[in-house]
Amino acid sequence: MLKAWLSTLKSYFIIYLRFIKNCFIAQMEYRTNFVLGIAVEIAYLFSKLLYVIVVYKTDLHIGDITPDGILMFVGTYTIMTGLYAGLFFTNFVRIPDYVRTGELDLLLVKPISLQFMVSLRYIDLGMPIPNLAAGITMVAIGWNALGIPVTFYNLCVFALYLAAALMITYGLMIIPALLSFWFVNTGGLAGIFYAIWDANNMPMPIYSRLIQRIGVYVLPFLVITNFAPMTVMGQLDKGLMLWGAAAPILLLAAVRLVWNKAIKNYSSASG
């Protein structure tokens, strides 16, 4: 059983590497667009850095979090923005079109998981570059300024919560696309989720207790950029640490259930 599961996992990993290769070849055919995409993302990044400038100029403190700590949060948000844009965004915006045009009919006959195919097929290799570079730099600067020990434990915990954040990002941001199986236009809902995503730009203590509870336990968007820095800063209790590990698993399981129901509800464009 385990051997078969590992073999399937290996097959999907090889397929995903092929997706990356194909996307790289396609993007390199239009190198000017590739470079311009990076340039546009750098421009957006500078607008995000205005937050950091204001934080340091005003010596902003959010509870016990100093400007250096806030820099770690903004850096984590920037890293996750790059990962979301590169791995998921292009795929999620295509799903409603697959449903509306009937292109999903062609994908249904592929001998691999349909959810895997439609949600992970396209990878943007340019947009994440400036965000990842800037985000990692901000986290490193904040980490060093706060005097957080660079230990194997701290690095592993930070990386694990980033991995959990990536799974939560997938689970939350695919919701508007899944609802397109029932509703013709989910653009308004997608806009709400993008606004929720932007709420991660600053530490969660700036929000009321009610919003924090909703953002941690109901729609766990606050877990995405808060739990990794809060853990290494010693500001996350054991209960929340356990929830940070459990939330992505529960969310992905719920998304899988909704996906299966959505496919059963799907009727092809040909009727």
Side-chain angles (χ1 to χ4, degrees):
M1 184 72 177
L2 179 60
K3 185 176 180 180
W5 185 84
L6 290 175
S7 177
T8 301
L9 186 64
K10 180 181 177 181
S11 298
Y12 275 89
F13 179 72
I14 293 173
I15 293 171
Y16 191 69
L17 290 179
R18 183 63 58 88
F19 287 165
I20 295 174
K21 179 182 177 181
N22 291 341
C23 289
F24 177 75
I25 293 172
Q27 290 171 34
M28 287 301 99
E29 290 180 356
Y30 303 96
R31 297 182 184 181
T32 301
N33 289 341
F34 180 81
V35 174
L36 287 176
I38 295 177
V40 170
E41 197 61 27
I42 290 174
Y44 282 124
L45 182 60
F46 274 112
S47 67
K48 296 173 190 175
L49 293 177
L50 291 176
Y51 288 108
V52 177
I53 295 172
V54 171
V55 165
Y56 276 97
K57 280 188 174 293
T58 59
D59 192 30
L60 178 64
H61 285 63
I62 300 176
D64 296 330
I65 304 173
T66 65
D68 294 320
I70 294 173
L71 181 64
M72 282 194 67
F73 284 89
V74 176
T76 306
Y77 168 81
T78 305
I79 290 172
M80 295 311 303
T81 298
L83 292 175
Y84 167 60
L87 301 178
F88 305 140
F89 176 75
T90 302
N91 296 288
F92 293 172
V93 298
R94 287 173 178 260
I95 293 176
D97 289 334
Y98 293 153
V99 176
R100 186 173 60 254
T101 63
E103 188 177 345
L104 197 65
D105 296 357
L106 300 176
L107 300 176
L108 278 167
V109 299
K110 301 292 183 181
I112 63 173
S113 166
L114 180 63
Q115 183 180 349
F116 177 84
M117 171 70 77
V118 302
S119 64
L120 297 173
R121 184 179 182 182
Y122 295 101
I123 300 96
D124 191 314
L125 299 170
M127 290 178 66
I129 293 174
N131 285 294
L132 291 176
I136 292 171
T137 300
M138 285 188 279
V139 168
I141 292 173
W143 191 306
N144 180 68
L146 292 171
I148 300 172
V150 184
T151 63
F152 178 76
Y153 171 79
N154 281 341
L155 292 174
C156 282
V157 166
F158 193 86
L160 285 173
Y161 277 113
L162 283 185
L166 189 62
M167 290 188 284
I168 291 174
T169 298
Y170 176 95
L172 285 179
M173 302 307 287
I174 200 175
I175 290 175
L178 291 182
L179 293 179
S180 65
F181 283 89
W182 288 275
F183 305 101
V184 175
N185 189 349
T186 59
L189 182 62
I192 293 174
F193 272 74
Y194 295 145
I196 290 175
W197 174 266
D198 286 334
N200 269 301
N201 202 17
M202 297 294 278
M204 69 181 185
I206 66 173
Y207 300 109
S208 67
R209 188 168 297 178
L210 175 62
I211 293 178
Q212 288 187 46
R213 288 176 178 173
I214 294 173
V216 171
Y217 297 109
V218 182
L219 289 174
F221 63 93
L222 290 178
V223 176
I224 295 172
T225 61
N226 281 270
F227 276 38
M230 287 180 72
T231 300
V232 296
M233 291 166 63
Q235 297 189 1
L236 205 65
D237 60 48
K238 291 184 179 179
L240 284 177
M241 289 179 70
L242 289 173
W243 174 249
I249 298 173
L250 295 173
L251 180 60
L252 290 181
V255 165
R256 184 60 182 174
L257 290 174
V258 175
W259 173 267
N260 288 334
K261 191 170 183 179
I263 293 303
K264 290 179 181 178
N265 184 72
Y266 172 72
S267 58
S268 69
S270 60

